[in-house]
Amino acid sequence: MFHLLKIEWMKVKNYRTFWVLSVLYLLSIYSASYMGYLINSSRPQKNNMADALFGQPFQFPEVWHTVSWLSSWLMFLPGLLMIISVTNEFSFKTHRQNIIDGWSRMQFIVVKILTAVIVALVSTIAVFITALLFGLFIGDKPFTFTGVSYIGYFFLQVLSYTSAALLFSLLFKRSGIAIGVFFLYTTFLENVIAGLLNRYADNIGRYLPLESVDNLIPIPIGFIRQFLASYNVPALLAMSAVYLCLYYFFSIRKFTTDDL
């Protein structure tokens, strides 16, 4: 498997678009948190009422939650990285060449699944480092791992988005169509469906594929959260795991049964 991942690395290491998007994404993680910090620092400091309403989002332990939530708004970017990685295989016929060279179809799709995992891991490490830096150098509270579970939820969120992007890529094969459908679904369609189901079907919209992971990281502002619906975290985690299995099942089935 390491040899297969090495070949995958050879495909992307000289692909400038992939690396430009990757760098922009990693910079955006820090930039989103820095913008949030600037907005937060513009409110009256050492104000007990403001602290009661907004908390101290860039101090430990709240910083783990805050940075994870701010970074969760960037989910389209790792999905985009996944889409261009997969659809390029179809555009340049490299998937056929891999099969001719002796790869099995299962090996090919497993490498793509591992790529989704690697993108999620790198994203999570970037969020962890960003939260750590803000907590250590901006906050004045002692370091603590309390609340670091939100970093884990962020990993699950990125993995879900990249895995969904993998499935869209295999279904549509062309980057433009896959990107358009992925963007439409993640930013509009599922939100509309979730809103309707939450209103007319006893809030089951919260358990839709991407809603499940999105709801794991609610808005960190305390006085707003009290007006939002409470979530059953174990149920959300279970549904997220089920959807991941479905993404992989249909991705494997699609690639292993399709014409090359």
Side-chain angles (χ1 to χ4, degrees):
M1 188 55 65
F2 179 78
H3 175 68
L4 300 181
L5 286 173
K6 186 177 180 180
I7 295 174
E8 188 71 13
W9 164 253
M10 297 291 289
K11 293 178 185 177
V12 300
K13 74 172 186 176
N14 294 319
Y15 186 32
R16 182 175 298 178
T17 301
F18 181 88
W19 291 110
V20 169
L21 287 173
S22 298
V23 171
L24 287 176
Y25 172 50
L26 295 177
L27 289 176
S28 296
I29 289 175
Y30 175 82
S31 300
S33 295
Y34 186 67
M35 289 176 63
Y37 167 72
L38 291 178
I39 293 171
N40 179 67
S41 27
S42 66
R43 67 178 174 84
Q45 300 299 308
K46 298 182 179 179
N47 184 307
N48 292 333
M49 181 175 293
D51 286 345
L53 289 174
F54 295 96
Q56 297 177 317
F58 290 93
Q59 308 245 13
F60 290 118
E62 292 89 348
V63 68
W64 302 116
H65 186 178
T66 302
V67 173
S68 296
W69 181 77
L70 290 170
S71 301
S72 71
W73 288 92
L74 305 171
M75 287 297 107
F76 179 71
L77 291 175
L80 179 60
L81 288 172
M82 197 67 211
I83 288 172
I84 64 174
S85 170
V86 177
T87 55
N88 272 356
E89 302 278 2
F90 298 105
S91 297
F92 299 109
K93 311 299 183 184
T94 48
H95 68 300
R96 291 183 181 177
Q97 188 60 50
N98 288 149
I99 302 302
I100 293 171
D101 290 341
W103 290 31
S104 69
R105 294 192 183 209
M106 181 61 76
Q107 285 176 318
F108 181 90
I109 193 63
V110 167
V111 166
K112 291 304 179 184
I113 292 172
L114 289 176
T115 301
V117 174
I118 291 170
V119 171
L121 279 173
V122 172
S123 303
T124 304
I125 292 169
V127 168
F128 178 86
I129 292 174
T130 300
L132 185 65
L133 291 176
F134 273 93
L136 290 175
F137 295 105
I138 292 177
D140 53 16
K141 289 187 177 180
F143 171 81
T144 176
F145 278 119
T146 302
V148 78
S149 58
Y150 285 105
I151 303 294
Y153 297 157
F154 179 82
F155 170 77
L156 186 58
Q157 186 181 37
V158 184
L159 184 59
S160 296
Y161 273 79
T162 52
S163 300
L166 169 62
L167 180 57
F168 280 119
S169 302
L170 295 171
L171 288 173
F172 299 104
K173 297 183 179 179
R174 295 185 179 182
S175 59
I177 298 175
I179 291 169
V181 174
F182 180 73
F183 179 79
L184 180 65
Y185 181 78
T186 57
T187 61
F188 177 73
L189 186 58
E190 187 174 277
N191 290 327
V192 171
I193 297 172
L196 292 173
L197 290 175
N198 287 337
R199 182 171 183 178
Y200 298 109
D202 196 26
N203 288 322
I204 65 172
R206 68 180 69 176
Y207 298 112
L208 289 177
L210 299 180
E211 281 289 305
S212 297
V213 287
D214 289 345
N215 289 327
L216 287 170
I217 311 177
I219 186 169
I221 300 176
F223 83 95
I224 294 179
R225 287 181 63 187
Q226 66 182 332
F227 297 107
L228 301 177
S230 58
Y231 298 108
N232 185 330
V233 172
L236 293 175
L237 290 172
M239 291 304 300
S240 300
V242 169
Y243 287 125
L244 278 174
C245 292
L246 290 175
Y247 294 145
Y248 299 146
F249 172 79
F250 287 114
S251 294
I252 291 170
R253 183 175 178 82
K254 174 66 175 174
F255 188 75
T256 55
T257 59
D258 247 7
D259 292 333
L260 291 179

